[in-house]
Amino acid sequence: MKTYDLAIVGSGMGGSMIASLNKQKDVIVFEKDTNLGGCASTFKRFGNYYNSGATTLVGYEENHPLKKIFDKANVNLDLKKSDIAIRILQNGKTIDRVKDFEKFLSQIDKAYPNKNNRVFWQIIKQLDEKFWKLKNVYYSKYSLSSYIKTIKSVSEIFLTFKFDLFKTARGFIKDTLGDISKEYQDFIDSQLLITLQTTSKDISLLSLALGLAYPFHDVFYVNGGMGSIFDELLKEVETHNKEEVKSIIKQNDIYLLKTRKGEYKAKNVILNSTIYDSSKLFEDEKIKSYYNKFSFNDQSAFVIHMTINKKENLLHHYQIILENEIPNALSNSYFVSLSSIDDNKMSENGISITISTHTKARFWSNLNKDEYKRQKFITEEFIINSFLENFDNISKEDIQISFSGTAKTFNRFINRDNCGGKAITLNTLLQIPSCRTPFEGLYNVGDTVFAGQGWPGIALGVHVLKEELNG
Ligand SMILES: Cc1cc2nc3c(=O)[nH]c(=O)nc-3n(C[C@H](O)[C@H](O)[C@H](O)COP(=O)(O)OP(=O)(O)OC[C@H]3O[C@@H](n4cnc5c(N)ncnc54)[C@H](O)[C@@H]3O)c2cc1C
């Protein structure tokens, strides 16, 4: 039996990016699903294409870890810049998150007048810019030397940000903007939920800046669906989709991976499964207990997919913030992404829409079949009605197809009911799992290990992992 240099379990953002950087090695990628890309895949149902979760691409800009990876892998992208990153609709107000600072500020001043808006948003923008300019960010916890290296890297961050690093987000909001209205607070928190999976309640100023500043970057729509990026990243890589890895056995200095179709040997294994789902792959008690010590982050997504019979050019992204919570959701907002009318694949039969909101994972897995159906219907109907109220030019009759997915759906297709990494809060700063494990040749990648979710966060983690693999 051949021994691979690297076996990668999963073709999500993390698995595919690290595979693309190791093409010169003997690499094999396993993917359980038919489609590549995990939470960022594009799938076909009822003759139409839909993005399963991720719809925005941020970080494709000079000197950004993501662009470095895509350039190295020679990824051919068909991107369209979204001039308005997100249009936020809240209680009759419209706020466009645009890259141009002055334009954005004039909208914020109109929606939420505050004499310190400029200072607040300028600090947010500057901290974010400083962070993405940092070099040598490193995070690992498997040995004394890795801790020392991490602390050195943190000291670089400390020297750059000084005591701002330890300021709480809520404290900073209060010190700068004073007591703000519930509406303004909701506006801030709803955006943080998208980027960080948490609100300003328990994060640091630095996380607040990273979470709020993404629309100050170029934000891209991916023609042909987000999933098309994975075909590019994995070109020339041996990829086995529809082949789930069922178990991994550590045999001295190699790993034996078992699937229903066969057995494979590899010197190194990178798991793109979540940190919470990794223990079940092993029998080795030490490895099992390593993974079991990470407490489950009970957060997931509720998604609705629709095809609407329209050929109108709408924006790519909207966020709707309501006054009250959505049934069975963790928030009062939802994110709407629409395909471009000139995207021949995604909009072939009408506009393809993905709507998502936050929900608990365990809530859905604990329901019996009938109750599951009933609760799913309640959430879906509520969001669709609210969507129709917010888009005057779309009527119920325009909806050709609609269906929804919960944490259970994510579990069925991509083995995860948790969606989104654990937010880096002041309390969890040193509890975030690192990509390197205490076991020689065994690594993790993706949004449940450092540095977190989405293209920018996972790309940063992939850079650290690449360094680890190079020794
Ligand atoms: C609704 C939603 C909207 C989002 N929107 C955005 C956005 O607009 N922009 C953005 O940047 N990010 C967004 N995110 C976050 C982003 O999608 C995720 O952080 C990212 O896709 C996770 O990537 P990952 O590398 O952790 O892998 P995953 O996406 O978790 O993929 C892991 C892969 O591994 C496979 N796998 C698992 N176990 C096995 C096994 N045993 N054998 C074989 N294969 C296995 C799975 O099938 C899966 O394909 C969104 C997330 C959600 C849920």
Side-chain angles (χ1 to χ4, degrees):
M1 192 192 301
K2 169 180 176 177
T3 303
Y4 288 89
D5 292 326
L6 206 56
I8 300 174
V9 181
S11 71
M13 291 181 185
S16 297
M17 282 195 270
I18 195 67
S20 77
L21 294 179
N22 284 284
K23 278 180 190 166
Q24 76 287 3
K25 295 186 184 155
D26 232 333
V27 181
I28 182 166
V29 174
F30 297 96
E31 172 50 57
K32 170 186 187 280
D33 193 25
T34 318
N35 304 295
L36 303 174
C39 295
S41 63
T42 301
F43 66 96
K44 193 174 189 182
R45 192 161 175 205
F46 308 125
N48 304 299
Y49 286 96
Y50 304 96
N51 284 321
S52 62
T55 50
T56 47
L57 177 76
V58 186
Y60 191 67
E61 58 197 33
E62 283 318 313
N63 296 320
H64 195 287
L66 183 75
K67 179 135 191 323
K68 286 186 194 157
I69 295 170
F70 282 8
D71 285 353
K72 192 128 201 258
N74 210 6
V75 169
N76 200 356
L77 295 170
D78 187 0
L79 303 178
K80 212 174 176 180
K81 213 182 271 183
S82 303
D83 293 329
I84 296 173
I86 339 169
R87 173 161 290 169
I88 294 159
L89 306 176
Q90 184 182 19
N91 302 331
K93 291 181 171 136
T94 300
I95 305 128
D96 286 344
R97 291 286 329 244
V98 287
K99 190 177 173 183
D100 184 292
F101 187 77
E102 294 303 327
K103 276 193 190 149
F104 166 66
L105 197 67
S106 71
Q107 304 210 34
I108 270 290
D109 278 340
K110 211 166 119 207
Y112 306 110
N114 186 305
K115 65 178 175 14
N116 288 330
N117 271 336
R118 177 179 292 278
V119 180
F120 178 83
W121 288 96
Q122 225 156 25
I123 293 175
I124 293 295
K125 188 169 184 296
Q126 282 164 358
L127 279 180
D128 172 80
E129 277 166 5
K130 271 191 192 172
F131 180 84
W132 289 109
K133 278 195 189 126
L134 283 175
K135 294 199 173 61
N136 309 319
V137 173
Y138 178 80
Y139 182 86
S140 208
K141 307 189 298 180
Y142 62 95
S143 69
L144 185 61
S145 63
S146 76
Y147 267 104
I148 293 171
K149 204 168 158 191
T150 302
I151 287 165
K152 268 193 183 159
S153 152
V154 173
S155 67
E156 184 190 353
I157 299 176
F158 180 73
L159 288 175
T160 310
F161 297 105
K162 311 261 170 8
F163 287 98
D164 283 351
L165 204 61
F166 301 107
K167 271 192 185 153
T168 64
R170 279 278 159 98
F172 172 71
I173 294 171
K174 186 148 181 30
D175 289 350
T176 324
L177 297 173
D179 288 320
I180 57 173
S181 63
K182 178 183 177 299
E183 256 193 350
Y184 198 1
Q185 189 68 57
D186 279 357
F187 172 83
I188 292 172
D189 285 341
S190 303
Q191 286 170 78
L192 294 174
L193 267 174
I194 307 177
T195 46
L196 302 178
Q197 303 289 323
T198 189
T199 64
S200 56
K201 197 169 75 247
D202 50 6
I203 56 172
S204 66
L205 168 56
L206 179 60
S207 299
L208 177 80
L210 296 175
L212 286 182
Y214 94 85
F216 292 134
H217 295 260
D218 285 335
V219 174
F220 294 98
Y221 170 84
V222 184
N223 265 318
M226 191 61 90
S228 60
I229 296 183
F230 299 90
D231 297 326
E232 277 293 312
L233 283 168
L234 293 175
K235 63 187 175 197
E236 303 152 28
V237 176
E238 183 178 339
T239 305
H240 294 208
N241 57 345
K242 287 204 266 181
E243 189 166 353
E244 180 179 3
V245 172
K246 292 284 186 189
S247 72
I248 305 174
I249 299 160
K250 188 165 171 27
Q251 296 177 332
N252 302 321
D253 52 353
I254 62 126
Y255 290 87
L256 180 71
L257 293 91
K258 294 187 179 179
T259 75
R260 286 224 169 87
K261 295 182 184 164
E263 295 188 354
Y264 306 82
K265 278 184 181 171
K267 288 184 210 148
N268 298 285
V269 171
I270 299 175
L271 302 176
N272 190 203
S273 45
T274 73
I275 203 93
Y276 318 112
D277 295 300
S278 295
S279 100
K280 64 180 181 221
L281 291 169
F282 297 90
E283 269 162 31
D284 185 309
E285 281 307 322
K286 278 193 185 140
I287 302 182
K288 266 186 142 16
S289 72
Y290 169 73
Y291 285 118
N292 281 337
K293 73 173 191 252
F294 299 106
S295 59
F296 183 71
N297 185 28
D298 190 3
Q299 191 145 317
S300 191
F302 187 95
V303 281
I304 300 176
H305 301 288
M306 295 197 276
T307 297
I308 57 164
N309 195 6
K310 280 270 174 215
K311 283 283 175 189
E312 253 174 69
N313 220 353
L314 292 150
L315 296 179
H316 295 137
H317 306 289
Y318 295 81
Q319 187 180 36
I320 319 294
I321 306 175
L322 307 173
E323 273 184 272
N324 298 314
E325 288 213 341
I326 298 165
N328 303 323
L330 287 171
S331 81
N332 58 348
S333 64
Y334 57 93
F335 193 69
V336 183
S337 299
L338 303 98
S339 63
S340 263
I341 45 162
D342 49 9
D343 183 331
N344 293 335
K345 179 176 162 190
M346 300 299 288
S347 303
E348 191 187 354
N349 304 316
I351 296 176
S352 167
I353 299 182
T354 298
I355 299 181
S356 59
T357 191
H358 294 82
T359 184
K360 287 242 179 230
R362 295 292 194 237
F363 168 76
W364 298 99
S365 52
N366 288 337
L367 296 175
N368 69 36
K369 210 172 156 194
D370 290 340
E371 198 51 21
Y372 174 80
K373 261 188 170 167
R374 204 172 76 84
Q375 296 301 336
K376 196 166 163 244
F377 176 77
I378 290 172
T379 307
E380 185 177 328
E381 197 189 34
F382 180 93
I383 295 177
I384 292 181
N385 286 340
S386 160
F387 167 80
L388 291 171
E389 279 166 22
N390 278 282
F391 288 80
D392 294 341
N393 46 353
I394 301 174
S395 69
K396 203 166 189 171
E397 290 66 46
D398 292 325
I399 303 176
Q400 289 178 316
I401 292 166
S402 73
F403 57 97
S404 59
T406 69
K408 259 182 129 164
T409 322
F410 281 99
N411 201 8
R412 190 167 130 220
F413 287 98
I414 60 163
N415 262 3
R416 64 182 294 177
D417 48 4
N418 148 281
C419 276
K422 209 171 199 135
I424 304 186
T425 67
L426 292 170
N427 293 335
T428 60
L429 204 58
L430 286 172
Q431 291 160 18
I432 302 298
S434 59
C435 63
R436 185 156 179 173
T437 71
F439 311 99
E440 191 67 34
L442 181 63
Y443 306 86
N444 282 78
V445 73
D447 63 8
T448 57
V449 294
F450 181 82
Q453 70 167 11
W455 284 111
I458 296 175
L460 196 58
V462 167
H463 271 279
V464 177
L465 175 55
K466 170 91 173 120
E467 198 182 319
E468 298 284 13
L469 288 169
N470 289 343

